[in-house]
mmCIF file of all heavy atoms in Angstrom:
data_model
loop_
_atom_site.group_PDB
_atom_site.id
_atom_site.type_symbol
_atom_site.label_atom_id
_atom_site.label_comp_id
_atom_site.label_asym_id
_atom_site.label_seq_id
_atom_site.Cartn_x
_atom_site.Cartn_y
_atom_site.Cartn_z
ATOM 1 N N GLU A 17 10.331 2.421 -20.888
ATOM 2 C CA GLU A 17 8.878 2.250 -20.960
ATOM 3 C C GLU A 17 8.516 1.064 -21.848
ATOM 4 O O GLU A 17 7.631 0.273 -21.507
ATOM 5 C CB GLU A 17 8.207 3.526 -21.488
ATOM 6 C CG GLU A 17 8.241 4.669 -20.520
ATOM 7 C CD GLU A 17 7.483 4.389 -19.241
ATOM 8 O OE1 GLU A 17 6.382 3.810 -19.306
ATOM 9 O OE2 GLU A 17 7.997 4.742 -18.170
ATOM 10 N N PHE A 20 9.798 -2.238 -19.722
ATOM 11 C CA PHE A 20 9.117 -2.558 -18.467
ATOM 12 C C PHE A 20 7.601 -2.530 -18.577
ATOM 13 O O PHE A 20 6.914 -3.375 -18.030
ATOM 14 C CB PHE A 20 9.577 -1.616 -17.350
ATOM 15 C CG PHE A 20 10.973 -1.914 -16.888
ATOM 16 C CD1 PHE A 20 12.021 -1.091 -17.239
ATOM 17 C CD2 PHE A 20 11.230 -3.023 -16.116
ATOM 18 C CE1 PHE A 20 13.309 -1.366 -16.830
ATOM 19 C CE2 PHE A 20 12.518 -3.312 -15.691
ATOM 20 C CZ PHE A 20 13.556 -2.479 -16.059
ATOM 21 N N ARG A 21 7.054 -1.517 -19.245
ATOM 22 C CA ARG A 21 5.594 -1.411 -19.321
ATOM 23 C C ARG A 21 5.027 -2.185 -20.492
ATOM 24 O O ARG A 21 3.864 -2.551 -20.505
ATOM 25 C CB ARG A 21 5.166 0.054 -19.469
ATOM 26 C CG ARG A 21 5.007 0.886 -18.237
ATOM 27 C CD ARG A 21 5.876 0.582 -17.140
ATOM 28 N NE ARG A 21 6.003 1.656 -16.144
ATOM 29 C CZ ARG A 21 7.139 1.907 -15.567
ATOM 30 N NH1 ARG A 21 8.225 1.285 -15.920
ATOM 31 N NH2 ARG A 21 7.211 2.796 -14.624
ATOM 32 N N TRP A 25 5.779 -6.479 -18.725
ATOM 33 C CA TRP A 25 4.443 -6.607 -18.157
ATOM 34 C C TRP A 25 3.606 -7.606 -18.952
ATOM 35 O O TRP A 25 2.883 -8.411 -18.377
ATOM 36 C CB TRP A 25 3.728 -5.259 -18.105
ATOM 37 C CG TRP A 25 2.388 -5.378 -17.476
ATOM 38 C CD1 TRP A 25 2.117 -5.431 -16.148
ATOM 39 C CD2 TRP A 25 1.140 -5.529 -18.139
ATOM 40 N NE1 TRP A 25 0.769 -5.585 -15.943
ATOM 41 C CE2 TRP A 25 0.138 -5.650 -17.159
ATOM 42 C CE3 TRP A 25 0.753 -5.565 -19.471
ATOM 43 C CZ2 TRP A 25 -1.198 -5.796 -17.457
ATOM 44 C CZ3 TRP A 25 -0.578 -5.710 -19.781
ATOM 45 C CH2 TRP A 25 -1.538 -5.828 -18.783
ATOM 46 N N PRO A 34 -3.523 -9.653 -13.766
ATOM 47 C CA PRO A 34 -3.017 -8.298 -14.029
ATOM 48 C C PRO A 34 -2.568 -7.501 -12.805
ATOM 49 O O PRO A 34 -1.488 -6.897 -12.856
ATOM 50 C CB PRO A 34 -4.177 -7.621 -14.760
ATOM 51 C CG PRO A 34 -4.862 -8.740 -15.466
ATOM 52 C CD PRO A 34 -4.756 -9.916 -14.522
ATOM 53 N N PRO A 35 -3.310 -7.473 -11.685
ATOM 54 C CA PRO A 35 -2.805 -6.693 -10.540
ATOM 55 C C PRO A 35 -1.468 -7.226 -10.005
ATOM 56 O O PRO A 35 -0.577 -6.447 -9.673
ATOM 57 C CB PRO A 35 -3.903 -6.827 -9.485
ATOM 58 C CG PRO A 35 -5.138 -7.139 -10.251
ATOM 59 C CD PRO A 35 -4.676 -7.962 -11.419
ATOM 60 N N LEU A 36 -1.332 -8.530 -9.951
ATOM 61 C CA LEU A 36 -0.078 -9.120 -9.479
ATOM 62 C C LEU A 36 1.042 -8.920 -10.495
ATOM 63 O O LEU A 36 2.206 -8.742 -10.120
ATOM 64 C CB LEU A 36 -0.274 -10.606 -9.173
ATOM 65 C CG LEU A 36 0.841 -11.307 -8.429
ATOM 66 C CD1 LEU A 36 1.163 -10.592 -7.116
ATOM 67 C CD2 LEU A 36 0.461 -12.746 -8.143
ATOM 68 N N ALA A 37 0.705 -8.911 -11.769
ATOM 69 C CA ALA A 37 1.695 -8.659 -12.807
ATOM 70 C C ALA A 37 2.231 -7.234 -12.707
ATOM 71 O O ALA A 37 3.436 -7.000 -12.876
ATOM 72 C CB ALA A 37 1.094 -8.906 -14.191
ATOM 73 N N ILE A 38 1.365 -6.277 -12.395
ATOM 74 C CA ILE A 38 1.801 -4.885 -12.246
ATOM 75 C C ILE A 38 2.737 -4.745 -11.050
ATOM 76 O O ILE A 38 3.778 -4.084 -11.127
ATOM 77 C CB ILE A 38 0.578 -3.955 -12.102
ATOM 78 C CG1 ILE A 38 -0.179 -3.903 -13.421
ATOM 79 C CG2 ILE A 38 0.999 -2.549 -11.681
ATOM 80 C CD1 ILE A 38 -1.511 -3.202 -13.337
ATOM 81 N N VAL A 39 2.391 -5.381 -9.944
ATOM 82 C CA VAL A 39 3.241 -5.322 -8.746
ATOM 83 C C VAL A 39 4.587 -6.001 -9.018
ATOM 84 O O VAL A 39 5.639 -5.482 -8.625
ATOM 85 C CB VAL A 39 2.519 -5.969 -7.542
ATOM 86 C CG1 VAL A 39 3.449 -6.131 -6.361
ATOM 87 C CG2 VAL A 39 1.303 -5.144 -7.156
ATOM 88 N N SER A 40 4.576 -7.131 -9.704
ATOM 89 C CA SER A 40 5.820 -7.839 -10.027
ATOM 90 C C SER A 40 6.699 -7.001 -10.946
ATOM 91 O O SER A 40 7.913 -6.912 -10.760
ATOM 92 C CB SER A 40 5.511 -9.172 -10.699
ATOM 93 O OG SER A 40 4.761 -9.989 -9.861
ATOM 94 N N GLN A 41 6.091 -6.378 -11.935
ATOM 95 C CA GLN A 41 6.835 -5.521 -12.856
ATOM 96 C C GLN A 41 7.460 -4.353 -12.118
ATOM 97 O O GLN A 41 8.611 -3.991 -12.360
ATOM 98 C CB GLN A 41 5.885 -5.044 -13.969
ATOM 99 C CG GLN A 41 6.454 -4.054 -14.936
ATOM 100 C CD GLN A 41 6.258 -2.629 -14.455
ATOM 101 O OE1 GLN A 41 7.164 -1.837 -14.603
ATOM 102 N NE2 GLN A 41 5.145 -2.290 -13.869
ATOM 103 N N ALA A 42 6.722 -3.756 -11.184
ATOM 104 C CA ALA A 42 7.239 -2.632 -10.400
ATOM 105 C C ALA A 42 8.394 -3.078 -9.504
ATOM 106 O O ALA A 42 9.378 -2.346 -9.341
ATOM 107 C CB ALA A 42 6.129 -2.008 -9.569
ATOM 108 N N ALA A 43 8.294 -4.272 -8.934
ATOM 109 C CA ALA A 43 9.376 -4.796 -8.090
ATOM 110 C C ALA A 43 10.640 -5.038 -8.915
ATOM 111 O O ALA A 43 11.745 -4.680 -8.488
ATOM 112 C CB ALA A 43 8.933 -6.082 -7.404
ATOM 113 N N ILE A 44 10.494 -5.608 -10.082
ATOM 114 C CA ILE A 44 11.655 -5.833 -10.955
ATOM 115 C C ILE A 44 12.251 -4.506 -11.391
ATOM 116 O O ILE A 44 13.476 -4.332 -11.419
ATOM 117 C CB ILE A 44 11.256 -6.709 -12.157
ATOM 118 C CG1 ILE A 44 10.896 -8.113 -11.685
ATOM 119 C CG2 ILE A 44 12.373 -6.752 -13.194
ATOM 120 C CD1 ILE A 44 10.259 -8.983 -12.742
ATOM 121 N N PHE A 45 11.394 -3.540 -11.715
ATOM 122 C CA PHE A 45 11.857 -2.206 -12.098
ATOM 123 C C PHE A 45 12.716 -1.600 -10.999
ATOM 124 O O PHE A 45 13.792 -1.053 -11.269
ATOM 125 C CB PHE A 45 10.653 -1.310 -12.396
ATOM 126 C CG PHE A 45 11.006 0.109 -12.727
ATOM 127 C CD1 PHE A 45 11.481 0.443 -13.978
ATOM 128 C CD2 PHE A 45 10.857 1.114 -11.784
ATOM 129 C CE1 PHE A 45 11.804 1.760 -14.287
ATOM 130 C CE2 PHE A 45 11.168 2.419 -12.078
ATOM 131 C CZ PHE A 45 11.654 2.743 -13.337
ATOM 132 N N SER A 46 12.265 -1.690 -9.753
ATOM 133 C CA SER A 46 13.032 -1.097 -8.656
ATOM 134 C C SER A 46 14.334 -1.852 -8.413
ATOM 135 O O SER A 46 15.367 -1.235 -8.149
ATOM 136 C CB SER A 46 12.200 -1.029 -7.379
ATOM 137 O OG SER A 46 11.915 -2.317 -6.882
ATOM 138 N N LEU A 63 14.533 2.092 -3.126
ATOM 139 C CA LEU A 63 13.757 0.970 -3.659
ATOM 140 C C LEU A 63 12.260 1.204 -3.531
ATOM 141 O O LEU A 63 11.509 0.904 -4.452
ATOM 142 C CB LEU A 63 14.168 -0.331 -2.964
ATOM 143 C CG LEU A 63 15.552 -0.857 -3.311
ATOM 144 C CD1 LEU A 63 15.851 -2.103 -2.484
ATOM 145 C CD2 LEU A 63 15.675 -1.151 -4.781
ATOM 146 N N VAL A 64 11.827 1.748 -2.409
ATOM 147 C CA VAL A 64 10.402 2.035 -2.230
ATOM 148 C C VAL A 64 9.955 3.101 -3.236
ATOM 149 O O VAL A 64 8.902 2.972 -3.870
ATOM 150 C CB VAL A 64 10.085 2.482 -0.783
ATOM 151 C CG1 VAL A 64 8.685 3.033 -0.665
ATOM 152 C CG2 VAL A 64 10.283 1.304 0.163
ATOM 153 N N GLY A 65 10.737 4.146 -3.388
ATOM 154 C CA GLY A 65 10.398 5.195 -4.346
ATOM 155 C C GLY A 65 10.331 4.672 -5.778
ATOM 156 O O GLY A 65 9.406 5.011 -6.533
ATOM 157 N N LEU A 66 11.298 3.861 -6.154
ATOM 158 C CA LEU A 66 11.290 3.293 -7.505
ATOM 159 C C LEU A 66 10.151 2.297 -7.698
ATOM 160 O O LEU A 66 9.575 2.198 -8.779
ATOM 161 C CB LEU A 66 12.635 2.632 -7.803
ATOM 162 C CG LEU A 66 13.784 3.609 -8.051
ATOM 163 C CD1 LEU A 66 15.104 2.862 -8.078
ATOM 164 C CD2 LEU A 66 13.561 4.386 -9.331
ATOM 165 N N PHE A 67 9.814 1.568 -6.634
ATOM 166 C CA PHE A 67 8.675 0.661 -6.708
ATOM 167 C C PHE A 67 7.380 1.438 -6.952
ATOM 168 O O PHE A 67 6.573 1.076 -7.803
ATOM 169 C CB PHE A 67 8.567 -0.170 -5.416
ATOM 170 C CG PHE A 67 7.384 -1.081 -5.384
ATOM 171 C CD1 PHE A 67 7.388 -2.260 -6.113
ATOM 172 C CD2 PHE A 67 6.259 -0.758 -4.632
ATOM 173 C CE1 PHE A 67 6.302 -3.111 -6.079
ATOM 174 C CE2 PHE A 67 5.174 -1.595 -4.602
ATOM 175 C CZ PHE A 67 5.180 -2.777 -5.337
ATOM 176 N N LEU A 68 7.210 2.530 -6.211
ATOM 177 C CA LEU A 68 6.007 3.351 -6.403
ATOM 178 C C LEU A 68 5.988 3.986 -7.792
ATOM 179 O O LEU A 68 4.944 4.085 -8.425
ATOM 180 C CB LEU A 68 5.941 4.431 -5.311
ATOM 181 C CG LEU A 68 5.700 3.902 -3.907
ATOM 182 C CD1 LEU A 68 5.796 5.042 -2.892
ATOM 183 C CD2 LEU A 68 4.378 3.186 -3.801
ATOM 184 N N LEU A 69 7.154 4.405 -8.264
ATOM 185 C CA LEU A 69 7.248 4.929 -9.628
ATOM 186 C C LEU A 69 6.884 3.854 -10.650
ATOM 187 O O LEU A 69 6.200 4.124 -11.635
ATOM 188 C CB LEU A 69 8.652 5.470 -9.892
ATOM 189 C CG LEU A 69 8.889 6.100 -11.256
ATOM 190 C CD1 LEU A 69 8.021 7.331 -11.434
ATOM 191 C CD2 LEU A 69 10.350 6.442 -11.413
ATOM 192 N N GLY A 70 7.334 2.634 -10.399
ATOM 193 C CA GLY A 70 6.985 1.522 -11.284
ATOM 194 C C GLY A 70 5.506 1.220 -11.295
ATOM 195 O O GLY A 70 4.949 0.819 -12.310
ATOM 196 N N LEU A 71 4.845 1.388 -10.150
ATOM 197 C CA LEU A 71 3.401 1.198 -10.094
ATOM 198 C C LEU A 71 2.650 2.280 -10.873
ATOM 199 O O LEU A 71 1.618 2.010 -11.476
ATOM 200 C CB LEU A 71 2.910 1.203 -8.644
ATOM 201 C CG LEU A 71 3.226 -0.012 -7.799
ATOM 202 C CD1 LEU A 71 2.714 0.197 -6.386
ATOM 203 C CD2 LEU A 71 2.642 -1.275 -8.397
ATOM 204 N N LEU A 72 3.200 3.477 -10.814
ATOM 205 C CA LEU A 72 2.546 4.599 -11.473
ATOM 206 C C LEU A 72 2.575 4.421 -12.966
ATOM 207 O O LEU A 72 1.655 4.642 -13.681
ATOM 208 C CB LEU A 72 3.254 5.906 -11.093
ATOM 209 C CG LEU A 72 2.636 7.182 -11.616
ATOM 210 C CD1 LEU A 72 1.268 7.406 -11.012
ATOM 211 C CD2 LEU A 72 3.549 8.346 -11.317
#
Side-chain angles (χ1 to χ4, degrees):
E17 289 297 318
F20 287 106
R21 275 32 161 218
W25 182 80
L36 191 55
I38 291 171
V39 171
S40 299
Q41 175 271 139
I44 293 170
F45 177 78
S46 67
L63 290 177
V64 169
L66 287 169
F67 177 76
L68 292 174
L69 182 63
L71 287 178
L72 184 65

